[in-house]
């Protein structure tokens, strides 16, 4: 049998080590890429889910492309903005029925992501203004009482001047194509209270409030 030199004997070991090292490289590279990609991909997925949730909350009839236009801007330059698509909302002030249409006077308020007016929003004072939502046909005033929240989408047709008291007020008019009357907020349910058998009377020296008695503490229970 021929004798193996030290270098010849070490070659299989070196070859095996090199094979293992080269074989691990793709796995390590993939692991490194996975660690870098996870922080980038996960926020994008979370953002997409949040945007989908916000869009899902808005009533379907209100989902349309609209201009970023306020009531005040429409009052100042009505000719410039006539024909713009808007989504406005607020509190109902009055309903007027004509022979062929219904005008709903609305106190404008900022809308949230779902299109609901926000009367208590911090920017509400800056967004206040009045506009008229004009609908073809008859709408029963009993179904649109004063104070209810209403959101409409439609086309800005111009400005009409009507008196508020003795003041001639310029109302932007929206030819409404869609509307959503928001339900009235419900009062929280007053759940009934049930007597607690372990709630005892005030104890001497511990103040006027009742104390909770432990059913496993003396005199009910003694482990000896």
């Amino acid at each position: 049998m021929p004798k193996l030199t030290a270098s010849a004997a070490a070659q299989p070991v070196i070859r095996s080590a090199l094979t293992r090292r080269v074989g691990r490289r793709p796995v390590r590279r993939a692991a490194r890429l996975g660690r870098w990609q996870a922080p980038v991909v996960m926020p994008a997925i979370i953002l997409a889910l949040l945007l989908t949730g916000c869009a899902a909350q808005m009533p379907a009839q209100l989902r349309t492309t609209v201009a970023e236009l306020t009531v005040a801007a429409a009052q100042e330059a009505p000719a410039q903005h006539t024909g713009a698509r808007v989504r406005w909302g607020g509190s109902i002030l009055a309903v007027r029925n004509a022979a062929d249409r219904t005008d709903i006077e609305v106190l404008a308020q900022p809308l949230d992501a779902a299109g609901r007016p926000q009367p208590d929003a911090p920017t509400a004072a800056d967004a206040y203004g009045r506009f008229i939502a004009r609908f073809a046909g008859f709408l029963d005033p009993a179904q649109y009482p004063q104070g209810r929240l209403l959101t409409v989408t439609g086309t800005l047709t111009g400005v009409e001047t009507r008196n508020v008291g003795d003041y001639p007020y310029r109302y932007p008019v929206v030819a409404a194509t869609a509307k959503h009357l928001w339900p009235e907020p419900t009062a929280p349910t007053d759940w009934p209270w049930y007597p607690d058998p372990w709630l005892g009377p005030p104890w001497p020296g511990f103040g006027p409030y009742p104390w909770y008695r432990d059913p496993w503490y003396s005199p009910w229970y003694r482990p000896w």
Side-chain angles (χ1 to χ4, degrees):
M1 172 182 283
K3 293 183 179 180
L4 294 175
T5 62
S7 59
Q11 287 180 3
V13 178
I14 296 173
R15 188 180 299 110
S16 177
L18 289 175
T19 302
R20 289 196 301 269
R21 181 177 296 277
V22 173
R24 289 196 192 101
R25 286 181 182 175
V27 178
R28 291 179 179 175
R29 186 177 293 109
R32 287 196 297 269
L33 289 175
R35 288 195 298 269
W36 282 102
Q37 289 174 353
V40 177
V41 174
M42 290 305 295
I45 295 175
I46 294 173
L47 179 60
L49 292 175
L50 291 175
L51 292 176
T52 303
C54 292
Q57 295 177 359
M58 182 177 291
Q61 67 271 26
L62 300 179
R63 299 177 197 169
T64 184
T65 303
V66 296
E68 295 294 333
L69 181 64
T70 64
V71 172
Q75 288 174 322
E76 294 174 1
Q80 179 181 349
H81 300 295
T82 297
R85 294 279 299 174
V86 296
R87 183 190 299 115
W88 289 346
S91 301
I92 295 176
L93 295 175
V95 178
R96 299 181 180 88
N97 297 106
D100 58 347
R101 68 174 188 261
T102 299
D103 288 350
I104 299 182
E105 182 181 343
V106 181
L107 179 64
Q109 293 155 354
L111 307 180
D112 63 10
R116 182 186 179 94
Q118 300 296 299
D120 300 327
T123 58
D126 299 332
Y128 277 157
R130 300 184 180 210
F131 70 93
I132 293 174
R134 178 160 293 169
F135 299 88
F138 175 79
L139 293 180
D140 193 340
Q143 297 180 351
Y144 296 85
Q146 185 177 5
R148 287 287 296 274
L149 299 180
L150 177 70
T151 302
V152 302
T153 59
T155 303
L156 187 64
T157 60
V159 170
E160 292 184 5
T161 301
R162 298 182 181 183
N163 287 340
V164 178
D166 293 331
Y167 182 82
Y169 190 88
R170 292 162 57 85
Y171 287 87
V173 179
V174 178
T177 56
K179 65 182 183 301
H180 184 78
L181 184 66
W182 297 91
E184 293 181 307
T186 58
T189 303
D190 188 11
W191 297 100
W193 290 90
Y194 298 95
D196 191 339
W198 308 115
L199 188 63
W203 298 98
F206 290 97
Y209 301 102
W211 287 78
Y212 192 81
R213 297 180 295 181
D214 191 340
W216 306 115
Y217 188 70
S218 176
W220 288 278
Y221 175 77
R222 288 182 182 273
W224 58 84

